[in-house]
Amino acid sequence: MVLSAGALALLMCFPRNLSALERVSFAAVLGFGYTAGAVLVRGIQAFAARPDPWADIALFNTDIQALYAISIVVFGFNCHANVVSVFYELEHYPHRLISQLPAEPTDYHTLGPLAPKPYTYKLIGMLGAILSAQSI
């Protein structure tokens, strides 16, 4: 199971553009949702199980247990490194995520007073990313 999940994750590292990954975005959102829910449930359980929940809480942990945070930090750095390439691609193909969005920034000025008015192609791509994430 772990080997097949690792192989699947490795295969998703090779595509050259976002359109190759469009089918796995729903699975990624489900995975993040599951992880956030599991952390929330386990955190509430741990919090409720202690008589004084704030006892033994330190601002900085300087023993060997602090190494557990390395994976979180590495994950964060990897995500930030990918943001640049994602938004670079969205700048050149702003309507890639949602094809119904107008492709030109000037087309948004006639949509009415409540519609967003992106002034650059990159903002159109960001609008598409936000709308596609909300529609899942």
Side-chain angles (χ1 to χ4, degrees):
M1 173 89 173
V2 173
L3 187 60
S4 62
L8 180 65
L10 182 64
L11 289 174
M12 289 189 292
C13 294
F14 295 120
R16 297 268 184 216
N17 56 34
L18 287 175
S19 61
L21 295 176
E22 64 188 352
R23 302 283 182 231
V24 297
S25 64
F26 183 71
V29 171
L30 285 178
F32 284 126
Y34 172 79
T35 303
V39 168
L40 178 69
V41 167
R42 294 293 293 168
I44 290 172
Q45 289 173 348
F47 190 80
R50 299 176 70 171
D52 182 11
W54 301 108
D56 299 325
I57 293 187
L59 183 59
F60 296 104
N61 193 355
T62 56
D63 61 359
I64 196 73
Q65 299 267 332
L67 295 177
Y68 287 121
I70 289 177
S71 61
I72 297 170
V73 172
V74 169
F75 179 76
F77 279 117
N78 284 334
C79 288
H80 285 85
N82 289 329
V83 165
V84 174
S85 63
V86 167
F87 283 113
Y88 177 76
E89 184 175 342
L90 290 177
E91 183 176 17
H92 297 289
Y93 303 102
H95 55 283
R96 177 166 280 173
L97 292 175
I98 298 181
S99 60
Q100 292 85 8
L101 285 176
E104 295 292 324
T106 55
D107 295 339
Y108 286 85
H109 298 294
T110 61
L111 293 181
L114 298 179
K117 307 283 191 285
Y119 291 101
T120 64
Y121 292 104
K122 188 177 288 188
L123 289 175
I124 294 172
M126 294 168 100
L127 179 65
I130 292 168
L131 290 174
S132 65
Q134 290 178 349
S135 66
I136 291 179

